[in-house]
Amino acid sequence: MALSSLIIEDIVARKVFNSRGSEAIEVEVFTAGGYGRVTAPMGASRGRGEVVPYPSGGVDEAIDKVSKLVAPELVGLDASDQRLIDKVLHEVDGTPDFRNIGGNTAYAISMAVAVAASASLGIPLFEHLGGCLAHELPYPLGNVIGGGKHVRGRGPDVQEMLVLPVGAEDVLEALQANFLVHKRAGELLAKADPAFTGGRGDEGAWAPNLSTVEALEVLFKACEDVSGELGFDIRIGLDVAASSLWDEGEGAYIYEREGAKRDRGEQVEFILGLIERFNLIYVEDPLMEDDFEGFAELTKKAKRFNCLICGDDLFVTNRARIEHGLKLKAASAIIIKPNQVGTISDAADAIRLARSGGLVPIASHRSGESTDPYLAHLAVGLRCPIIKTGVLGGERVAKLNELLRIAEGLGEVARMARLPSQAA
Ligand code: 2PG
Ligand code: MG
């Protein structure tokens, strides 16, 4: 028998805007004893295998469907029965990819129900999602210099150059490290590029008029400087977002700014060269989204450098793609974006499956975000040792600051997650 305070009494959806100024759906869930409000994020470099974010009529149609199709089915249910809620969302939608109600609609409802349930139960969201023993804080993987689809004009070809403060002893130290590297990188960019104006891309990362390698040189120096000041290791990662560079007709990766063209073999060698030269700890989507074999080749070759090879567009948080990737040993880490798959239960299942095959799960934001802090709870509750959520920008900082609050709430039992041996 559900506590009466957990019964869903009403669900309301409205149109709001995300950090890119694009329309987004916001959902409010009212239980007898609580309330949850969640806005869906939105990607710019989306994988082809992701669920469909909105029905063909966009956010307006999604809102209409929440009131006419979804709310009548969910009102009266127990908000703490997340599996049931998410099953009903799939049933109401009736398609394999949420194209009827929209994956973003499903995500906002699924998460808002979880938030309302935790409020009704009077416990933090991470505890509701992960149980009372969840106590490990993720390391923040933060985007410092960006390019690709996240910037306008002549940025680096590679989408994200990130930092991971592997030597930090607690969240406060980890956040300080990322903020300091971001600041230092900005100062160094101003020296490296006299025309640098301090412009930033969609995720708050600097968007300089430099090539990928030039930008990495700057970031490497910034990490060295801040590591020296703070006395612990800060390592570099990349999100190549290689599907954005892939030209099917040419059968090659086109680096427009650099004026380079690389076939699969050259791409693998280029990435391995960057891993070695910049001591990279992490490379996401180094190859286009369907090249599981290429991923497997790179994953094998990157082992000796202890560098995580991570699939984002490759896996899209999708069960079948994860199973395929595990069979081929295509990666050593996986990006988890709940709106790629639509519900919290699907994301939790993806994490469980990925972990069973040795993949490190990384909870991730989208480039178009809301100021919701809940990704931090998802990372702690579902035990992701790394959270990828940018460095600067209110919508990024909202999640980072929430990590501090979670750590404070946990008190003495809080500890940093154990990074995988590849990343130690
Ligand atoms: C990515 C993300 C987030 P987007 O590629 O990993 O950094 O970008 O949300 O645009 O897919
Ligand atoms: Mg990515």
Side-chain angles (χ1 to χ4, degrees), residues 161 188 212-222 277-278:
M161 282 154 250
L188 293 172
T212 300
V213 168
E214 287 165 341
L216 276 170
E217 280 167 353
V218 168
L219 186 54
F220 192 80
K221 173 83 175 76
R277 178 164 168 198
F278 296 104

Side-chain angles (χ1 to χ4, degrees), residues 43-74:
S45 63
R46 296 202 302 277
R48 277 204 302 266
E50 295 190 25
V51 295
V52 178
Y54 291 110
S56 52
V59 175
D60 290 315
E61 186 181 337
I63 292 168
D64 197 46
K65 284 183 166 165
V66 171
S67 64
K68 293 199 176 116
L69 297 179
V70 188
E73 298 300 322
L74 293 184

Side-chain angles (χ1 to χ4, degrees), residues 179-191:
F179 286 121
L180 283 172
V181 171
H182 194 284
K183 189 163 176 230
R184 182 80 189 121
E187 290 160 5
L188 293 172
L189 285 170
K191 283 191 197 151

